[in-house]
Amino acid sequence: MTVVHTPPDADLPGEFAGLGTDARRWLTAARASATARDTDWELRFAEAGRRCGTEHADAARVLLLAAARPDAETVTLLYHRGTVAERRAVLLALDGLDTEPAHALPLVEDALRANDTTLLAAALGPYAARHLDAHQWRHAVLKCLFTGVPVATVANLAARARADAELARMLRAYAAERTAAHRDIPADLDRVLALTQEQ
């Protein structure tokens, strides 16, 4: 009888198929550490970029956060003391964590104030789609337009923009400002404006 040995990292999600053997083994061990909430799991969260490469760093950190299920205080600390890449991973993970809006929304709001477009895009995921109020969300969509972040990254865009007369007004005002200044109007603006007309 042939015995098939299953590699210890075989249960990693398919998105990690491109990882090398050493990186897969490291990530498997790091996830086990996070699940057990070992004292060094946060260090592994920080070093995921070096271990897994930039292509897989976000997904690896989100995987570790999902495994650790950190409390609100830890999520906040990881965000504020982290690099841009670590902050981005925290934002991407929010929808899968149990962090209450009172604790997580300030992190989203901080990212929306930042000048880093990767943070802006990460902040506008499903968590923000559910919890950002209308005023903040509209301004975040406008910020995407004038920073060049594709609106395709905005979670639940069609549903939130639908029949939003105030967003439509803001978009038309922004387009008028760009035209008066002889500047191009972002291509995504018409797309969002069309969504506001849907009933």
Side-chain angles (χ1 to χ4, degrees), residues 1-195:
M1 182 176 69
T2 302
V3 177
V4 177
H5 295 283
T6 302
D9 58 356
D11 64 338
L12 287 178
E15 63 196 295
F16 297 107
L19 275 181
T21 301
D22 288 346
R24 289 178 65 85
R25 287 175 178 163
W26 177 88
L27 184 55
T28 298
R31 181 166 64 167
S33 174
T35 301
R37 292 191 183 180
D38 291 341
T39 55
D40 64 346
W41 84 264
E42 293 178 35
L43 295 176
R44 293 186 174 198
F45 173 83
E47 67 179 342
R50 179 168 56 85
R51 294 288 195 159
C52 298
T54 55
E55 181 182 353
H56 297 285
D58 283 348
R61 289 188 173 110
V62 170
L63 184 74
L64 297 184
L65 286 167
R69 310 298 298 176
D71 59 24
E73 181 180 359
T74 302
V75 171
T76 299
L77 284 173
L78 287 172
Y79 178 86
H80 284 297
R81 72 185 182 198
T83 63
V84 168
E86 290 162 29
R87 290 181 177 202
R88 184 172 61 244
V90 169
L91 294 166
L92 291 171
L94 284 178
D95 194 52
L97 302 178
D98 296 324
T99 312
E100 292 294 325
H103 299 288
L105 274 181
L107 309 184
V108 172
E109 291 162 357
D110 179 81
L112 295 179
R113 290 190 296 269
N115 293 322
D116 190 291
T117 55
T118 66
L119 284 181
L120 175 60
L124 290 172
Y127 193 87
R130 285 202 315 276
H131 298 296
L132 269 184
D133 66 34
H135 176 79
Q136 291 174 308
W137 185 82
R138 290 175 187 130
H139 282 276
V141 171
L142 277 180
K143 186 165 184 177
C144 286
L145 293 174
F146 63 71
T147 59
V149 173
V151 296
T153 64
V154 180
N156 209 22
L157 174 67
R160 287 209 62 168
R162 184 176 295 117
D164 189 334
E166 176 59 16
L167 178 59
R169 183 198 66 76
M170 293 169 68
L171 291 170
R172 291 190 181 101
Y174 177 57
E177 289 174 8
R178 299 283 296 184
T179 300
H182 304 289
R183 295 180 179 176
D184 292 337
I185 296 173
D188 273 349
L189 189 146
D190 285 339
R191 177 187 172 192
V192 182
L193 188 58
L195 291 173

